[in-house]
Amino acid sequence: MSCGCKTSGDSSHSCGTKSANGCESVDTCGNSYKLSVFDWLSNINNPSESKCDFVEVRFKNDRKHFYKNVHHLPLHIGSVVTVESSPGHDTGVVSLTGELVKIQMKKKNATEENPLKIYRLANQRDIEVWQQSREKEESVKIQARKIAYALNLNMKITDVEFQGDGQKVTFYYTADNRVDFRQLIKEYAAAFRTKIDMKQIGFRQEAAKVGGIGSCGRELCCSTWLTDFRSVNTNAARYQQLSINPQKLAGQCGKLKCCLNYELDSYLDTLSDFPSSSTTLDTEKGKAFCIKIDVFKKRMWFAYVDHSMAWYDLEVGEVKKLIAQNKRGEKTPPLEDLKVLDVPTKSVDLIQESNIERFDRKNRNQGKNQNRKKPNNQQKPSGKQRPNPKPENKVSEKKPDDNQGERRKNSPEKVQQQNQTQNAKPQNQQKKNFKKKIQPKRDDNA
């Protein structure tokens, strides 16, 4: 039995119905399932004759276990199997086989003593019961939340998982404090007629089960590939020079983001070459203390104790020289003399560069200048006639004498053009007279 695309277990398979719960039919597609493992040893022959009898079987969400293939069944990735459980049996999908299972068992500290067994390949009856149990989970979760709310319990039912044979149902819940759910289990047993199992999970595990989109625009790491949750504290944000803002540093689970640990090692390696952030410099104008550190530019900002509003940035190598000079008992020059001069760089406005109309601006300006040069009484050229860009009475580019300039100012042509522009302004400002529409006469004979 496989997913609707019939290529379950193929590494080059790309299912079109990717979701948090997998494929629509049976949820056996390996590539559409979160926390899937790629078997990079599948095409390599095992040099030893002994084969690994253990296989990794996955269930709903991120639950996985290792089972021993005692009957030596021909299993591959995507096979639906019936495995041992307490009580009854459970149904799952094989997610990993071969020698890579030993590496996974060592990584997750799984022992080979008293292993759970694989009974058989799932038949049609097992798969039908499994599908019916999975379809009831959403309605059971809603009903379980109503019962918990009626009992005034400070808890939240996050997820519900039925066993493959339907004899047991597990409720995953989150709570801030300890919850007394003895009465709740009685209510659940009377309502659902099955064995009830309650499991408390953390807020990070809840986000991994529910899933979502992070602030980076991608799926949550805990719901796709992250399996171990390491502790994250505010020191990781301080080393990376981030502002301690809970709204920006917290993820959807309400805790600090796991991605704060990703680049922490590289920051620590770079900061090992920096002086301490509590460094003080004894200058001729007084003592100066460190305010800010830029890891990428390798600079440190200092300010005077008396006048802390003015900041001065220095390179790390220069700061080390100043510290060595203070150790010898000498005072350093003022910070104003040691400040690094920034070379101004020409910034490019990417939004303006990507504007579609940037090619039309030159033509627009030319048209405006041409209209300004034309007198008001001049008519536009008609037909194919081209306007003369050069005026007829153009003066040579040589610098005229002062007497010639005074004559031109008082020339009759200039005076005539000024009178024409003054007479044209009130004509343009006059309101247009619109003709009244004559109403049609009424015809009494109509």
Side-chain angles (χ1 to χ4, degrees):
M1 189 67 183
S2 63
C3 66
C5 46
K6 300 180 182 179
T7 55
S8 173
D10 186 6
S11 60
S12 61
H13 164 55
S14 178
C15 181
T17 58
K18 291 187 177 182
S19 63
N21 295 328
C23 289
E24 296 176 351
S25 55
V26 196
D27 188 18
T28 58
C29 175
N31 286 21
S32 66
Y33 185 78
K34 59 185 179 181
L35 298 177
S36 59
V37 180
F38 177 72
D39 190 2
W40 53 275
L41 294 176
S42 58
N43 298 328
I44 301 175
N45 296 325
N46 189 5
S48 61
E49 297 180 357
S50 61
K51 295 183 179 180
C52 181
D53 294 333
F54 285 86
V55 295
E56 186 186 61
V57 181
R58 60 176 173 82
F59 302 93
K60 184 183 177 182
N61 291 332
D62 56 347
R63 188 167 69 93
K64 293 182 180 181
H65 288 293
F66 298 98
Y67 294 87
K68 189 173 184 179
N69 188 6
V70 291
H71 300 292
H72 302 286
L73 300 173
L75 302 177
H76 57 85
I77 298 175
S79 300
V80 184
V81 292
T82 302
V83 298
E84 181 183 357
S85 182
S86 177
H89 63 272
D90 202 353
T91 305
V93 182
V94 176
S95 59
L96 195 62
T97 59
E99 296 297 322
L100 198 60
V101 180
K102 291 183 178 180
I103 301 175
Q104 291 293 104
M105 292 178 68
K106 185 178 180 180
K107 179 181 177 182
K108 297 181 180 180
N109 298 325
T111 59
E112 298 182 3
E113 299 178 359
N114 300 324
L116 298 175
K117 303 174 184 177
I118 296 178
Y119 288 149
R120 60 183 181 275
L121 288 169
N123 52 32
Q124 190 64 30
R125 176 61 182 168
D126 296 334
I127 294 175
E128 288 177 359
V129 174
W130 182 37
Q131 285 180 329
Q132 292 174 4
S133 301
R134 291 289 297 272
E135 291 173 358
K136 293 189 298 182
E137 289 177 352
E138 190 65 27
S139 60
V140 168
K141 181 173 66 175
I142 296 172
Q143 188 177 358
R145 287 178 176 177
K146 291 180 180 180
I147 296 173
Y149 181 76
L151 294 175
N152 295 325
L153 296 176
N154 189 12
M155 60 183 294
K156 177 186 175 183
I157 303 296
T158 301
D159 198 8
V160 177
E161 182 181 2
F162 271 89
Q163 196 170 273
D165 55 358
Q167 294 185 11
K168 186 177 75 171
V169 56
T170 304
F171 293 92
Y172 298 95
Y173 71 95
T174 57
D176 295 330
N177 301 318
R178 186 177 179 181
V179 180
D180 186 9
F181 46 77
R182 289 176 292 182
Q183 183 63 28
L184 181 67
I185 292 177
K186 295 178 182 179
E187 296 285 343
Y188 284 173
F192 306 126
R193 303 286 181 177
T194 54
K195 184 179 178 181
I196 306 299
D197 189 10
M198 304 292 295
K199 283 189 177 181
Q200 184 176 3
I201 58 176
F203 293 100
R204 295 182 187 272
Q205 287 79 6
E206 179 189 10
K209 287 181 178 295
V210 175
I213 304 297
S215 59
C216 57
R218 303 185 64 180
E219 288 188 65
L220 298 180
C221 298
C222 55
S223 63
T224 51
W225 62 272
L226 190 62
T227 56
D228 55 336
F229 298 98
R230 298 181 181 178
S231 61
V232 186
N233 50 22
T234 55
N235 290 331
R238 290 192 180 95
Y239 286 131
Q240 300 177 40
Q241 309 298 319
L242 299 175
S243 61
I244 310 300
N245 189 353
Q247 295 179 352
K248 292 184 178 180
L249 298 180
Q252 294 188 2
C253 57
K255 306 294 182 181
L256 292 175
K257 293 180 181 179
C258 298
C259 54
L260 291 175
N261 286 336
Y262 295 166
E263 299 178 356
L264 181 60
D265 295 337
S266 60
Y267 273 90
L268 292 175
D269 293 341
T270 308
L271 288 173
S272 62
D273 192 38
F274 276 70
S276 177
S277 58
S278 60
T279 302
T280 58
L281 299 177
D282 190 7
T283 65
E284 296 176 357
K285 292 185 66 175
K287 289 190 176 182
F289 62 96
C290 180
I291 292 181
K292 180 185 172 184
I293 294 175
D294 194 332
V295 179
F296 299 103
K297 294 182 179 180
K298 293 187 177 181
R299 291 184 181 181
M300 300 178 70
W301 273 261
F302 286 87
Y304 291 110
V305 177
D306 299 333
H307 185 63
S308 61
M309 298 300 294
W311 294 9
Y312 304 95
D313 56 323
L314 305 175
E315 294 182 353
V316 176
E318 187 69 21
V319 174
K320 290 181 179 179
K321 293 179 181 178
L322 298 177
I323 294 173
Q325 189 174 353
N326 287 145
K327 288 182 178 180
R328 292 194 300 267
E330 302 175 1
K331 290 188 177 182
T332 62
L335 298 178
E336 294 86 347
D337 302 339
L338 301 173
K339 182 181 177 182
V340 179
L341 297 176
D342 294 331
V343 179
T345 57
K346 187 178 180 181
S347 60
V348 179
D349 191 357
L350 299 178
I351 299 176
Q352 186 178 2
E353 289 294 327
S354 62
N355 191 3
I356 302 174
E357 299 178 354
R358 66 183 183 273
F359 301 105
D360 302 331
R361 289 178 182 172
K362 188 175 181 181
N363 298 330
R364 286 180 183 176
N365 295 332
Q366 287 180 357
K368 290 179 181 178
N369 295 332
Q370 288 177 3
N371 294 333
R372 289 175 184 171
K373 291 178 182 179
K374 290 180 182 178
N376 295 329
N377 296 334
Q378 186 178 353
Q379 295 180 357
K380 294 182 180 179
S382 60
K384 298 182 180 179
Q385 295 179 0
R386 295 182 180 177
N388 293 327
K390 299 181 180 179
E392 294 179 358
N393 301 327
K394 187 175 180 181
V395 187
S396 61
E397 295 180 357
K398 294 182 180 179
K399 188 176 180 180
D401 298 334
D402 298 336
N403 298 328
Q404 292 180 0
E406 291 177 0
R407 290 173 187 174
R408 281 174 187 158
K409 287 181 182 177
N410 301 325
S411 61
E413 295 177 358
K414 288 279 184 178
V415 174
Q416 186 179 358
Q417 288 181 1
Q418 290 178 2
N419 295 333
Q420 288 178 359
T421 54
Q422 290 177 1
N423 296 331
K425 286 182 180 178
Q427 292 177 4
N428 296 333
Q429 293 177 358
Q430 290 178 359
K431 296 182 179 179
K432 295 181 180 180
N433 296 326
F434 296 97
K435 293 182 180 180
K436 274 190 176 182
K437 291 185 179 180
I438 302 172
Q439 296 182 357
K441 294 181 180 181
R442 184 176 179 182
D443 192 1
D444 297 332
N445 298 329

